[in-house]
Amino acid sequence: MSIISLCSSHRTFALPAFLSRLSGGLSAAFVLLWLAACSRPLRERVTVYDGFPQTAELAGTPLPLDTAVFHYPFRIRVQADRAVVMDLHGTDHFFHAFSLPDFRHLASSGRRGDGPDDLISAENMRWTGDTLHVLDSGKSQVAHFVFAPSADSLLRVGTVSLDRQLLRALDFVSINDSTCLVPDYSGDSRFCVVNRDGRLLRRFGSIPTANEDALLHSRPALAQAWRSFIDYNPRNGVLAAATQLGEVLELWNLRDSTHTVLLGPGGEPQFQVRQGYGIPTDIMGFIDVQVADSAVYAIFQGTSFKEIGQSIQQGESLQDGGRYLYVFSLTGAPLRCYVLDRHVCGIAVNEKRRILWTTDVNSDEPVVEFRLDATD
């Protein structure tokens, strides 16, 4: 798939879907109003885009790290003057904290193991204020960490076990101090609302697919194919979900109950059902998404499974991650496509400083900084 085909013009139409991440100090009254709104129909539309009005190339600068060896640095989360990098396949620890802007190593935490304070498999992490929440899908728990007063270690200060009614949780976002959302992989709904004790409160939403046969006969496989990376910004009330397969980005504004489905040239996730599982057949899609204060940023791959198969047969290795940083307005208008000089997985955007921090699993220098244009 060429850069030209990935980044050009767009057009708009109308159709359906629904919801995931929140954090921060939303009032209890707002949460009650939002939960009530979940049961009402949303104002939904589908926007079909075939490119972006602006394209720019960006060269990154690898940041020298004074310590920490990563196996697969998958996510990076920034909070004030600290960044935490999650190592998806860490052998000793799952995440490493650094100071900003110098990226000096502060602490490694989230020890891998079977002990009561260990993690089996870290799937994602989120900041809520000064607390880092880590999802351990192996134990079906969310662990809470805070920095010690000396800032040289992360201390585990609590754990929440998730309701057994939830299928294996692979992502989560906080709504406020008492509620979070977990994607529903049963296919019966889009998301599960979970309280601070991990108890399932309700399910809501539906997958915005045109595949009626899968809706009728293969909902779990459909949910697997539609697995999405999610994010939420409490300052503007916008929630995003970007599909791991195909090219679909969903945006919800939780303040006015609008829902936009952005459908790109890659289309919705394509798959075949084998023994109840969804086997992907078309392309790898998005790999990370962030809702910032003024725009939505998403890393897109676009590699076909045919290309992957051919590379394996020929003994070639493909780069993990995506080279295309898509930028959309908070209402879903395509703004710009950045073509990066390397493949990256995780992203963290600082709009005020016009900085993009990324993780590059293909390099021995895995944290890379990009300077964004000031014209978005």
Side-chain angles (χ1 to χ4, degrees):
M1 189 175 292
S2 68
I3 292 174
I4 294 176
S5 66
L6 283 165
C7 313
S8 342
S9 61
H10 71 281
R11 58 186 187 278
T12 303
F13 296 89
L15 240 140
F18 202 111
L19 187 43
S20 162
R21 158 161 192 192
L22 280 122
S23 64
L26 296 181
S27 68
F30 174 80
V31 173
L32 290 174
L33 288 172
W34 174 76
L35 288 173
C38 287
S39 62
R40 299 198 301 267
L42 294 175
R43 297 191 298 276
E44 299 173 331
R45 66 170 183 166
V46 165
T47 296
V48 179
Y49 67 92
D50 54 19
F52 292 79
Q54 297 182 16
T55 302
E57 296 186 359
L58 288 183
T61 302
L63 300 180
L65 304 181
D66 60 355
T67 187
V69 176
F70 297 106
H71 288 80
Y72 199 94
F74 189 57
R75 289 288 179 256
I76 179 168
R77 305 292 184 201
V78 173
Q79 176 74 351
D81 59 350
R82 293 166 184 168
V84 176
V85 177
M86 187 184 84
D87 190 348
L88 193 63
H89 302 314
T91 54
D92 298 318
H93 297 90
F94 279 107
F95 49 95
H96 306 270
F98 300 86
S99 63
L100 292 176
D102 57 350
F103 256 87
R104 178 176 56 86
H105 181 257
L106 297 174
S108 296
S109 194
R111 189 176 59 209
R112 186 178 194 130
D114 296 322
D117 291 329
D118 296 342
L119 302 174
I120 294 178
S121 59
E123 292 290 344
N124 211 336
M125 57 186 181
R126 307 283 184 183
W127 286 105
T128 301
D130 293 328
T131 302
L132 182 70
H133 307 282
V134 178
L135 173 62
D136 182 347
S137 61
K139 290 185 176 181
S140 194
Q141 294 178 340
V142 176
H144 312 309
F145 294 82
V146 298
F147 276 98
S150 60
D152 60 356
S153 61
L154 277 162
L155 307 177
R156 185 162 176 159
V157 294
T159 302
V160 172
S161 295
L162 298 176
D163 199 308
R164 292 186 178 182
Q165 296 182 69
L166 299 172
L167 294 180
R168 185 180 176 94
L170 298 177
D171 209 344
F172 73 107
V173 289
S174 298
I175 292 175
N176 65 348
D177 290 339
S178 62
T179 317
C180 71
L181 298 178
V182 175
D184 181 7
Y185 292 108
S186 71
D188 293 332
S189 64
R190 197 69 168 111
F191 293 97
C192 302
V193 181
V194 179
N195 70 7
R196 66 186 302 169
D197 298 319
R199 184 168 61 88
L200 174 64
L201 299 179
R202 62 188 300 274
R203 304 174 192 267
F204 65 88
S206 59
I207 297 172
T209 181
N211 190 337
E212 295 183 1
D213 183 67
L215 281 171
L216 288 173
H217 305 295
S218 309
R219 284 180 179 265
L222 179 69
Q224 292 168 25
W226 275 79
R227 179 187 174 184
S228 299
F229 300 113
I230 60 180
D231 194 36
Y232 174 79
N233 188 329
R235 292 180 293 276
N236 52 36
V238 174
L239 165 73
T243 57
Q244 188 176 12
L245 304 176
E247 190 174 348
V248 182
L249 175 67
E250 296 176 68
L251 299 178
W252 297 265
N253 187 315
L254 302 188
R255 295 177 180 174
D256 63 13
S257 297
T258 55
H259 173 214
T260 300
V261 181
L262 303 173
L263 184 65
E268 71 170 80
Q270 300 297 310
F271 64 100
Q272 295 177 350
V273 180
R274 297 178 188 170
Q275 298 180 338
Y277 293 96
I279 309 299
T281 59
D282 195 9
I283 65 169
M284 295 293 292
F286 294 98
I287 194 166
D288 200 8
V289 62
Q290 179 180 338
V291 181
D293 288 347
S294 66
V296 177
Y297 300 80
I299 286 290
F300 184 72
Q301 293 175 277
T303 307
S304 72
F305 285 94
K306 182 178 180 180
E307 291 176 76
I308 295 172
Q310 289 175 342
S311 296
I312 293 174
Q313 289 179 354
Q314 296 169 7
E316 301 173 350
S317 60
L318 286 174
Q319 298 278 292
D320 286 347
R323 287 187 58 210
Y324 307 100
L325 177 67
Y326 290 175
V327 185
F328 299 89
S329 73
L330 297 176
T331 57
L335 299 178
R336 172 171 289 208
C337 171
Y338 288 107
V339 182
L340 309 182
D341 67 346
R342 68 198 68 211
H343 291 75
V344 303
C345 287
I347 59 172
V349 179
N350 184 316
E351 288 186 314
K352 290 183 179 179
R353 296 178 57 194
R354 307 302 302 164
I355 292 177
L356 168 72
W357 292 291
T358 68
T359 58
D360 177 2
V361 302
N362 310 288
S363 172
D364 292 334
E365 297 177 298
V367 180
V368 182
E369 181 179 291
F370 293 85
R371 293 284 173 168
L372 300 175
D373 294 345
T375 56
D376 290 343

